[in-house]
Structure formats: structure tokens, C-alpha cells
Amino acid sequence: RVYAASSLKFLLDQEIAVKLLRPHIQEVIKIFVKLMDDIDNEEVVSSLEEVVAVYHEEVSPYALDLILKLADSFFVYTSNEDEENTEATLAAAGCLGTIKKILKFKLSQEAYHKAVDILVPVFNHVLTEEASMAYLEDGIACFNAVLFNVNEISEKLWHYFLVINYIITGKPANIPTDIS
């Protein structure tokens, strides 16, 4: 199943394969979601990212469900990562890359605001000192995609203005690290 899912991204280079799969894209996505539940594999996530890119119009109605699933998978993969399990790190980064692609669709304002609610824990994770640097670029790219597409920046998003400034310039010495 993993090899089949991984090879799908190469089949999508063929226009005939794209046309044949189009009516079945909802089932294909369900299979990918199930496979992601079973195994943390970067190639599976990479293939899903290609499916999302090729079938963006067909995937748009499922955008929030996919973002939710990818955010959940991101946390599962990050909890499985260690120095010996680079596959989990790559799969987690792939989840962020796929979320970024989905956020670049032209979704409704309501969908973007719901996506923010889903992604706040992801942003909180990727923008901390403890997070792997492997996630920072894609995490900020997801954040940027949201900012670019919303008509009004919510209070939830303004919080990250300071965080990103601290990432760029360094945290001032007079700010306590323990805020409890």
C-alpha cells in the first residue's frame, strides 16, 4: 500500500491518469488518510501533497478536513521523531508542506478563520525553541499563506507578530522565560 501510494505522484505526470482518477479523488484521499493513520512515511505524505496540487479544485471542499487531519498527523509524527527516526521528521514536514498548498487555494474567509483555529497549536509548536528547525520554514509559510488570504487579521494571529520578531532579532534579555 505504501509503495502504491508513493508511486501515485509519478502517475500524475500522465494526463490520462489524472483524468481517470478525477472522479475517484474523494476515495483516493480517504485511502491516503487511512494510510497516514497506519504509518508515518514521508513518501505517502509527499504523494498526498501532489494529489492536492493536481486536484486542487476537487480537494477544496475537503480543505478543512484535510488540514485537520494533516495537523493531527503532524503532531503524531513529531511525537514519534528521534535521531534514528528521520522518516517521522520528514513526514511531519511534509504535512506542513501539504497544508501550505491547501492554504494557497482560494478558500472562503470563513474557511481561513476555521483553519486558523485548527493551526494555532501547529504555529505554537513550530515557533518554539524546542521545535525542530525542519519545521520552521514550512510553518512560517503556512502562517504567511493564512495572512495573505484573510481579509482581516484576527487577534490570534497578531500574537505571532512578536514571536516572529523574536525569531528574527532574538529574545530580549529582560523578558522572563517562565511566565507562570
Side-chain angles (χ1 to χ4, degrees):
R1 295 181 322 160
V2 171
Y3 291 128
S6 299
S7 65
L8 184 61
K9 69 181 173 184
F10 301 111
L11 284 173
L12 294 177
D13 290 338
Q14 304 297 318
E15 190 61 36
I16 189 75
V18 171
K19 288 178 183 177
L20 286 171
L21 281 177
R22 183 164 272 119
H24 309 287
I25 199 62
Q26 185 176 7
E27 293 85 21
V28 170
I29 290 171
K30 286 179 183 177
I31 292 167
F32 271 96
V33 167
K34 173 74 170 108
L35 199 52
M36 288 172 62
D37 286 339
D38 295 342
I39 187 167
D40 34 314
N41 184 287
E42 187 271 335
E43 287 297 318
V44 171
V45 177
S46 175
S47 284
L48 176 60
E49 185 174 359
E50 186 65 21
V51 168
V52 164
V54 170
Y55 297 104
H56 63 287
E57 289 178 19
E58 292 84 356
V59 171
S60 287
Y62 313 107
L64 288 174
D65 291 335
L66 268 173
I67 289 171
L68 179 61
K69 175 59 187 163
L70 289 161
D72 289 344
S73 295
F74 171 79
F75 285 112
V76 169
Y77 297 153
T78 58
S79 69
N80 291 339
E81 71 182 1
D82 56 38
E83 290 180 19
E84 295 176 15
N85 191 359
T86 57
E87 192 67 39
T89 302
L90 293 172
C95 288
L96 294 176
T98 307
I99 291 170
K100 176 179 67 176
K101 277 200 167 48
I102 294 169
L103 291 171
K104 289 184 177 182
F105 296 169
K106 291 299 173 198
L107 305 174
S108 69
Q109 288 300 299
E110 180 184 1
Y112 281 112
H113 289 288
K114 287 180 179 178
V116 167
D117 291 337
I118 295 168
L119 293 173
V120 162
V122 174
F123 296 151
N124 289 343
H125 181 78
V126 300
L127 296 174
T128 62
E129 292 175 7
E130 294 82 32
S132 169
M133 288 302 292
Y135 311 133
L136 186 60
E137 184 178 346
D138 281 329
I140 288 178
C142 289
F143 184 74
N144 185 43
V146 169
L147 290 178
F148 184 78
N149 286 295
V150 294
N151 291 338
E152 186 177 323
I153 299 174
S154 70
E155 192 173 312
K156 291 176 190 174
L157 295 176
W158 277 112
H159 160 77
Y160 298 106
F161 177 73
L162 284 174
V163 174
I164 291 172
N165 277 303
Y166 292 155
I167 290 171
I168 294 169
T169 62
K171 187 175 76 171
N174 62 348
I175 293 184
T177 55
D178 183 19
I179 57 173
S180 53

